[in-house]
């Protein structure tokens, strides 16, 4: 048995849908009032607030990443200099630098 209820078939559309013709009535634009106006304004305000919050969070993530990279570069350079001065402590210097780097990466990923 064939299914005749296919809304995407042009034949079905012509048979099942009523077509109205006539004049389009232009309605004047009026100021909204009541709960509809309040909700429309509230939604726009919330969208704007959400967009600003998202932009600020992105700036904070970028600042955190840039600062972490600068600190990592400073710590790595410091580590190299300290290893030259005290080779016996090289493992400890590397552990400290790695601990900072790992924590910074974790913070950036979780922000």
């Amino acid at each position: 048995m064939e299914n005749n209820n296919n809304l995407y078939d042009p034949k079905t559309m012509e048979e099942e849908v009523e077509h109205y013709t006539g004049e389009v009535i232009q309605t004047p634009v009026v100021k909204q009032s009541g709960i509809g106006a309040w909700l429309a304004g509230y939604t726009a305000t919330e969208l704007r607030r959400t967009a600003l919050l998202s932009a600020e969070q992105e700036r904070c993530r970028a600042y955190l990443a840039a600062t972490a990279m600068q600190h990592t570069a400073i710590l790595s350079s410091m580590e190299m200099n300290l290893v030259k001065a005290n080779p016996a402590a090289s493992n400890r210097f590397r552990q400290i630098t790695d601990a900072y780097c790992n924590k910074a990466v974790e913070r950036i990923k979780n922000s």
Side-chain angles (χ1 to χ4, degrees):
M1 179 176 217
E2 188 177 315
N3 184 0
N4 292 329
N5 195 13
N6 184 356
L7 295 177
Y8 298 103
D9 182 15
K11 289 181 182 178
T12 304
M13 291 295 288
E14 289 177 13
E15 295 169 3
E16 301 287 330
V17 177
E18 294 181 49
H19 296 279
Y20 292 100
T21 59
E23 186 178 337
V24 176
I25 301 170
Q26 297 295 328
T27 56
V29 177
V30 294
K31 183 178 178 185
Q32 290 184 342
S33 61
I35 190 79
W38 180 78
L39 287 174
Y42 178 76
T43 302
T45 302
E46 284 301 309
L47 287 172
R48 190 170 28 259
R49 189 175 295 145
T50 302
L52 290 172
L53 180 61
S54 294
E56 192 60 33
Q57 288 172 335
E58 187 60 30
R59 278 193 286 275
C60 289
R61 277 192 290 272
Y63 180 75
L64 177 63
T67 303
M69 288 189 290
Q70 290 172 349
H71 291 176
T72 300
I74 292 167
L75 287 172
S76 296
S77 176
M78 200 178 206
E79 177 188 349
M80 286 187 337
N81 291 335
L82 290 171
V83 166
K84 288 178 188 174
N86 190 353
S90 65
N91 191 34
R92 291 181 185 150
F93 297 142
R94 187 177 56 253
Q95 287 176 349
I96 292 168
T97 304
D98 289 347
Y100 173 82
C101 292
N102 291 336
K103 190 63 173 181
V105 167
E106 182 182 318
R107 283 185 181 158
I108 292 166
K109 284 183 176 181
N110 293 330
S111 66

